[in-house]
């Protein structure tokens, strides 16, 4: 569903990427932002999605500045394993 949804802050980078990719594919959406939810007082993130009728490649998340295949779509700070972490979010090729 398009909009902003809370995302648990205890995911590893790989699990977070898998969760967000699955959400995109099931809801026909595209991730546009991932931020820390400072308002809730919990260690969680907020993911923002827009409608996307076309299938997209999976997401990959790595430490900020680390290299990854694919196209970097944004850099942010998010909770990973319950710790604030600088991350880069990449879009991999469809079929990866």
């Amino acid at each position: 569903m398009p909009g902003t949804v809370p995302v648990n802050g205890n995911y590893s980078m790989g699990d977070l990427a898998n969760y967000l990719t699955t959400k995109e594919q099931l809801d026909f959406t595209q991730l546009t932002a991932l931020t820390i939810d400072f308002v809730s007082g919990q260690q969680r993130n907020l993911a923002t999605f827009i409608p996307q009728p076309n299938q997209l490649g999976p997401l990959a998340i790595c430490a900020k500045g680390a290299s990854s295949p694919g196209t970097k779509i944004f850099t942010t700070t998010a909770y990973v394993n319950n710790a604030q972490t600088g991350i880069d979010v990449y879009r991999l090729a469809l079929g990866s």
Side-chain angles (χ1 to χ4, degrees):
M1 176 181 321
T4 302
V5 296
V7 178
N8 202 324
N10 69 350
Y11 288 122
S12 67
M13 287 185 201
D15 289 341
L16 180 58
N18 289 338
Y19 173 82
L20 296 171
T21 296
T22 299
K23 186 131 185 67
E24 281 186 335
Q25 292 173 348
L26 291 177
D27 294 341
F28 297 98
T29 58
Q30 177 180 353
L31 179 71
T32 59
L34 181 66
T35 60
I36 290 175
D37 181 359
F38 291 106
V39 177
S40 72
Q42 301 174 21
Q43 291 180 331
R44 71 180 189 183
N45 302 303
L46 295 173
T48 303
F49 297 90
I50 60 171
Q52 175 55 258
N54 302 313
Q55 185 177 11
L56 301 171
L59 297 168
I61 296 176
C62 62
K64 183 178 176 181
S67 64
S68 173
T71 303
K72 184 163 62 169
I73 54 175
F74 58 83
T75 298
T76 190
T77 301
Y79 278 110
V80 176
N81 293 324
N82 290 320
Q84 288 187 28
T85 306
I87 60 171
D88 292 333
V89 180
Y90 285 82
R91 173 79 56 199
L92 302 176
L94 194 59
S96 295

